[in-house]
Amino acid sequence: MTGKRPALTLGTTEREGTRVTSRNTLIVGGGPAAHRLVEALLSRFADEPESAHRITVLAEEPHLPYDRVQLSKRLADGSVDLTLDPASCWEDDAVSLRIGERAQAIDRAAKTVTTSSGDVLDYDDLVLATGSSAPVPEIPGASAARVYRTIDDVDALVAEVAALREQRGRVPRVAVAGGGLLGLEAAGGLAALGADAVIIHSGGWLMSAQLDEGAGQALGRLIAARGVDLHLGTRPQKILLGADGRPVEVLCTDGRTVPADIVVFAIGIRARDELATAAGIATAPRGGVIVDEACRSTDASIWAIGEVAAIDGRTIGLVAPANTMAETVADRLLGGDAAFTTIDDATKLKLSGVDVASFGDAFARDPGALEIVYADPARGLYQKLVVSDDARTLLGGVFVGDATPYLGLRPLLGRTLDAEPAAYLSAAGAEPPAGGALPDDALVCSCNNVAAGTVRTAVGDGCHDLGELKACTRAGAQCGSCVPLVKKLLEAELTAAGATVSHALCEHFDLSRQELFESVRVLGLTSWDETITRLGRGRGCDICKPAVGSILATQHGQYLLDGGRGPLQDTNDRALANMQKDGTYSVVPRIPGGEITPEKLGVIARVAQDFGLYTKITGGQRIDLFGARLDQLPDIWRELVDAGFESGQAYGKALRNVKSCVGSTWCRYGVQDSVGMAIALELRYRGLRSPHKLKFGVSGCARECAEARGKDVGVIATDLGWNLYVGGNGGFQPAHAQLLASDLDDETLVRYIDRYLMYYIRTADRLQRTARWMEDLDGGLDHVRDVVVHDSLGLAAELEAAVAQHVETYADEWAATLADPERLRRFRSFVNEPALADPSIARVAERGQLRPATAAERAAGVVPIAGATIPLRTAAMPAEGRS
């Protein structure tokens, strides 16, 4: 339940013969377990309309509770928001969240907690959700080491890597102590940042707590192949420091030394049980608050959940058990009898692009357990199933390199298999079990404890869309690893019900975007009217119209807004500029490869001054000019076009920019001319319309200053030519680009990019980024490589010809607009008064530039604009006013 609740009054009420007593629940800790407990309590309050429970949460970190499992995304992109959903639960009147405040002491007799701010908070029930800390061994020099545990830890590491690279003019060396989940995640993320990462691990193989030796060795080969050095069977004994107090190298217990500018410890977790210990609450010998099946400590009013709770003498650092504990305590606090009886320690993750998964009795410790193994060390592939002595009951499994079977097998843990175990190993050529074969009580989503039957029931009740299904069942709403299985269940249920699993673009077209693209191409359709008449029905909508507009633009290269195509476009495309929050637009001239002459810089400066525009250097090596009115756009662009600029198409689903370093032109490390290649690529693919925006990067050496592996197409120079990476995306779901081909000459590189882009444009779904497109393709990267490099579909010549036609027909959209008076008629603030500027735009000065007025400033009624004080006015906009 979310939203505002009435103020709660403490006391006792009678309802349907049951006494409902007001309770004051204090939760110490602001991590995922605490968030889940609050959410679980609020959802139960919805069924207790007269209850009067208060919830207070002490969150030590200065952040809203966030998803620690996704810290690697923060490492890759510092702008990623990891806040747990729903964040709206913190707005509920029943909840008081105190951020940046920690509990200092528990007084069990008085039932109070003293906080770091000096407040004394009372409780009826106290829930310890303090989680764990990242231990650092007491060795010489350890004070200079770092850990990988929180958002602040990750942000500090990112900043430190960047600072050292700048200061020392070379790639920083990072030694990560720990080859478990966190250590591999940290090493992979730091390597992606451009650091030279090594792993020091005490075990004989990686992830030795989760994987057997065969799987660990296979994982080690794959990780080493990605440039991460491994030092196994040893641990740090001493960190040697330089004169500046920073690490120089790590001395290991076996005598070897590992050079390091940064040392990161990720050697496990230590339960944060110090509050409980000080209060006299029983803790386990190896740490953690001892709790029973109700998650209650030895004090009847104090509970523990998540990583601080010790079940059978051990703590568990996984999401699913923490969520189950939270649900158990929520039920108990409201008079239920839920019990925490089983521990789900299944693990699935992708480390540095390598699939890894384990579940159940992965080490075959059960008496009589049999192991069915498929191993291919050369490929770094390892798959193992553990079954009972009669080879019928599934007891566990381990997968490295290809974890495809995991999703279908994990829900079958403890059940009788329908076939020989080897039939479930995809490495041996088997098909993974389909979602439709799962029994109703099989657990599909362990994070949220959702069974297959729950998903099926939701589909039967009308949840026929994956997004709806996730919302109403919560399956796939946390870590997301089960989403493919949930999708299979959805499709299986729809098929069983006799419904066709639709891939229709929208209600007006029964075709998918891919099918629509091919139909338009084969039939030679050139307009919206032809397309809707031949292939669809109705008048269209805001889904199909832009999609058809993009398809037509890609195939025919005509002016975007002519021939009835203008109404098909989104707001930004209709204005050939990005609309901003105050109704003005931004202007982004193309600056190929980031290279620009002083004379052109002067033109941009003059335009910004003449039109009072706010200027900002973008992350894509361009200059963004904000605050242009619709009627000003032609005048601004006339000056820019006359000076040799063209549209940067920041408004379109097309190529945005090609980022480059200076390469061999200036840099002493550069081995190829990255600027020249970046300019050539940007000029070749400019204006190419696609399902989503495209970004390129070209780096002149392996130091990767252009961040090419974060782009849809990344090109990195080698001594022999160029390495081509594809499928990298930033945004909400960042993904690293994957290596498609190595050591290419210029001509081959361009041919492969031609094929890749056109294959994506033809086959991707509407608004699908390249990373998600490749994930959805059968075979993923291998399939793309077969098509692009080996021409497995026989399309190479056709795809290259399509790009050649685009290059031949390309024309700058703003130059074409300025050359036609009829096209310029679109750029008027008011149709009936073309010369009148929009009077509703209000600005204030800040840091020497003008920005949009805030709502509060506008509400005041007087806003300074360019030094003058002008009362605000509003004007009713005609239907064909601002786009």
Side-chain angles (χ1 to χ4, degrees):
M1 187 190 77
T2 58
K4 293 295 184 181
R5 289 170 48 85
L8 298 177
T9 304
L10 296 182
T12 302
T13 62
E14 294 283 345
R15 181 169 60 84
E16 298 179 0
T18 303
R19 286 183 76 79
V20 181
T21 306
S22 305
R23 302 295 290 178
N24 182 14
T25 300
L26 177 59
I27 303 172
V28 177
H35 177 272
R36 184 54 173 268
L37 177 55
V38 171
E39 188 182 0
L41 285 170
L42 290 178
S43 68
R44 287 163 172 80
F45 289 175
D47 299 324
E48 301 276 347
E50 297 179 30
S51 67
H53 282 73
R54 281 187 316 182
I55 306 169
T56 302
V57 180
L58 296 179
E60 185 176 69
E61 293 187 61
H63 310 281
L64 288 175
Y66 59 89
D67 189 355
R68 296 188 191 279
V69 176
Q70 304 295 337
L71 276 176
S72 58
K73 291 184 177 180
R74 181 80 173 199
L75 194 59
D77 181 356
S79 65
V80 168
D81 183 5
L82 301 181
T83 302
L84 287 165
D85 289 326
S88 54
C89 65
W90 307 117
E91 300 172 4
D92 196 290
D93 285 341
V95 181
S96 173
L97 174 64
R98 301 171 70 139
I99 293 176
E101 191 167 2
R102 73 179 180 278
Q104 288 190 319
I106 301 170
D107 186 333
R108 292 168 56 195
K111 300 184 80 168
T112 62
V113 170
T114 302
T115 76
S116 55
S117 66
D119 289 347
V120 178
L121 308 177
D122 62 336
Y123 65 83
D124 294 309
D125 295 289
L126 174 63
V127 183
L128 298 177
T130 47
S132 62
S133 60
V136 175
E138 295 182 359
I139 61 174
S143 60
R146 305 287 182 261
V147 295
Y148 181 84
R149 185 66 185 157
T150 69
I151 280 181
D152 291 341
D153 293 335
V154 169
D155 290 350
L157 280 171
V158 172
E160 192 168 7
V161 168
L164 283 175
R165 182 168 15 186
E166 179 70 23
Q167 293 167 8
R168 302 185 178 181
R170 60 172 173 79
V171 176
R173 299 164 303 197
V174 182
V176 178
L181 298 174
L182 285 176
L184 287 170
E185 186 179 287
L190 289 164
L193 281 177
D196 185 5
V198 301
I199 292 175
I200 304 170
H201 183 52
S202 59
W205 59 88
L206 297 176
M207 288 184 66
S208 46
Q210 292 85 18
L211 305 180
D212 62 11
E213 183 172 2
Q217 297 290 3
L219 177 60
R221 288 181 63 89
L222 292 172
I223 296 297
R226 281 156 175 76
V228 177
D229 290 338
L230 304 178
H231 298 271
L232 304 177
T234 188
R235 60 170 57 92
Q237 183 177 12
K238 182 179 182 180
I239 301 174
L240 304 178
L241 307 179
D244 58 357
R246 296 194 57 84
V248 175
E249 61 183 9
V250 178
L251 176 63
C252 298
T253 52
D254 62 356
R256 78 182 88 175
T257 59
V258 179
D261 301 304
I262 302 172
V263 179
V264 179
F265 279 98
I267 55 176
I269 59 174
R270 178 181 296 149
R272 293 280 306 274
D273 59 6
E274 59 271 18
L275 273 174
T277 301
I281 300 168
T283 56
R286 299 183 65 179
V289 178
I290 296 174
V291 297
D292 59 15
E293 65 176 11
C295 296
R296 193 193 307 263
S297 75
T298 50
D299 184 317
S301 298
I302 300 179
W303 317 70
I305 59 175
E307 294 171 334
V308 74
I311 307 289
D312 296 331
R314 71 182 180 108
T315 56
I316 312 145
L318 296 171
V319 172
N323 284 345
T324 304
M325 291 181 204
E327 294 284 350
T328 299
V329 170
D331 185 73
R332 290 279 182 160
L333 290 178
L334 295 178
D337 58 0
F340 182 83
T341 56
T342 59
I343 298 173
D344 182 357
D345 56 0
T347 302
K348 183 181 187 299
L349 66 162
K350 182 167 283 192
L351 299 164
S352 301
V354 179
D355 278 325
V356 182
S358 70
F359 68 100
D361 182 20
F363 290 89
R365 295 191 175 106
D366 284 12
L370 302 177
E371 299 177 86
I372 293 87
V373 178
Y374 183 99
D376 187 344
R379 293 167 57 197
L381 184 64
Y382 183 91
Q383 294 186 342
K384 179 178 81 171
L385 289 185
V386 181
V387 295
S388 57
D389 55 1
D390 61 0
R392 298 190 63 191
T393 304
L394 180 62
L395 302 179
V398 179
F399 302 93
V400 172
D402 177 8
T404 305
Y406 168 83
L407 286 175
L409 285 170
R410 194 196 144 285
L412 299 177
L413 183 64
R415 300 175 184 274
T416 300
L417 297 176
D418 294 333
E420 292 295 321
Y424 293 90
L425 296 179
S426 61
E431 287 291 325
L438 295 177
D440 279 348
D441 60 343
L443 198 63
V444 172
C445 174
S446 61
C447 290
N448 293 306
N449 200 32
V450 183
T454 303
V455 175
R456 292 190 177 108
T457 299
V459 176
D461 290 341
C463 290
H464 294 171
D465 173 83
L466 183 60
E468 292 177 353
L469 196 57
K470 290 168 65 178
C472 62
T473 66
R474 293 184 57 83
Q478 193 145 4
C479 80
S481 64
C482 65
V483 168
L485 183 57
V486 175
K487 185 178 180 181
K488 284 185 178 180
L489 279 167
L490 169 63
E491 293 178 351
E493 285 303 294
L494 291 176
T495 301
T500 302
V501 178
S502 174
H503 299 286
L505 182 65
C506 68
E507 64 190 83
H508 303 103
F509 288 93
D510 294 329
L511 304 175
S512 68
R513 183 197 171 276
Q514 177 183 356
E515 294 166 338
L516 185 60
F517 188 101
E518 287 303 305
S519 298
V520 169
R521 185 179 68 83
V522 171
L523 295 174
L525 305 180
T526 60
S527 70
W528 163 257
D529 289 341
E530 288 180 340
T531 305
I532 192 72
T533 300
R534 293 287 300 274
L535 304 174
R537 58 186 171 273
R539 297 185 177 182
C541 64
D542 59 358
I543 293 175
C544 61
K545 284 184 175 181
V548 170
S550 174
I551 290 171
L552 294 173
T554 300
Q555 296 191 18
H556 302 296
Q558 298 168 332
Y559 182 74
L560 195 68
L561 306 178
D562 280 353
R565 292 181 292 274
L568 303 181
Q569 311 303 329
D570 290 324
T571 298
N572 291 340
D573 283 299
R574 289 200 299 273
L576 303 180
N578 275 337
M579 178 181 277
Q580 305 302 312
K581 61 188 289 186
D582 64 345
T584 62
Y585 294 83
S586 65
V587 172
V588 186
R590 186 174 299 285
I591 303 177
E595 182 182 81
I596 188 169
T597 64
E599 290 76 16
K600 283 192 172 182
L601 278 175
V603 172
I604 292 177
R606 185 176 69 248
V607 167
Q609 288 176 327
D610 289 349
F611 291 90
L613 305 179
Y614 174 97
T615 58
K616 173 77 172 61
I617 304 294
T618 72
Q621 298 180 334
R622 304 194 291 188
I623 298 175
D624 214 338
L625 308 174
F626 292 89
R629 300 192 311 268
L630 184 70
D631 61 290
Q632 291 177 318
L633 290 175
D635 292 332
I636 291 170
W637 273 107
R638 186 168 284 107
E639 291 197 36
L640 293 173
V641 169
D642 287 347
F645 286 103
E646 63 179 43
S647 172
Q649 287 193 309
Y651 47 82
K653 299 295 185 288
L655 176 67
R656 294 292 177 85
N657 63 288
V658 181
K659 185 174 183 177
S660 77
C661 63
V662 294
S664 58
T665 306
W666 290 94
C667 180
R668 65 184 185 276
Y669 300 115
V671 294
Q672 301 289 349
D673 179 11
S674 57
V675 179
M677 178 57 71
I679 292 172
L681 293 178
E682 185 157 352
L683 295 180
R684 181 172 183 81
Y685 303 113
R686 58 187 170 178
L688 180 62
R689 296 281 165 166
S690 62
H692 211 294
K693 63 185 176 184
L694 295 168
K695 295 183 179 181
F696 287 21
V698 182
S699 289
C701 74
R703 286 168 176 79
E704 246 285 73
C705 293
E707 301 167 326
R709 291 197 61 194
K711 310 299 184 186
D712 299 276
V713 173
V715 179
I716 301 178
T718 71
D719 291 333
L720 301 177
W722 305 96
N723 285 350
L724 174 60
Y725 292 82
V726 293
N729 292 165
F732 183 71
Q733 289 181 284
H736 288 299
Q738 303 176 70
L739 181 63
L740 183 71
S742 302
D743 297 328
L744 307 175
D745 58 44
D746 291 4
E747 182 180 347
T748 305
L749 173 70
V750 172
R751 284 206 317 271
Y752 285 179
I753 297 175
D754 282 357
R755 299 173 188 178
Y756 176 78
L757 288 179
M758 286 310 303
Y759 189 53
Y760 160 68
I761 290 169
R762 286 191 176 191
T763 60
D765 288 337
R766 167 184 170 271
L767 300 182
Q768 188 176 41
R769 296 295 301 271
T770 54
R772 308 285 85 81
W773 166 68
M774 289 175 60
E775 289 173 358
D776 286 351
L777 287 173
D778 289 339
L781 176 66
D782 291 337
H783 170 74
V784 172
R785 183 178 291 113
D786 285 342
V787 173
V788 171
V789 178
H790 306 302
D791 194 17
S792 60
L793 299 181
L795 292 174
E798 190 176 309
L799 299 175
E800 291 174 26
V803 175
Q805 180 187 8
H806 162 75
V807 173
E808 183 180 345
T809 59
Y810 168 79
D812 174 47
E813 290 168 351
W814 265 109
T817 300
L818 295 171
D820 189 331
E822 282 302 310
R823 293 170 178 169
L824 288 172
R825 288 170 58 83
R826 298 176 180 274
F827 300 92
R828 296 171 292 177
S829 293
F830 299 95
V831 174
N832 55 346
E833 291 190 67
L836 179 64
D838 186 348
S840 67
I841 298 170
R843 305 282 168 72
V844 293
E846 186 174 80
R847 295 188 296 275
Q849 299 203 77
L850 297 179
R851 62 158 174 82
T854 65
E857 289 164 340
R858 297 176 71 92
V862 177
V863 177
I865 301 180
T869 301
I870 304 174
L872 285 177
R873 293 172 52 203
T874 58
M877 295 292 291
E880 297 182 10
R882 280 182 297 182
S883 298

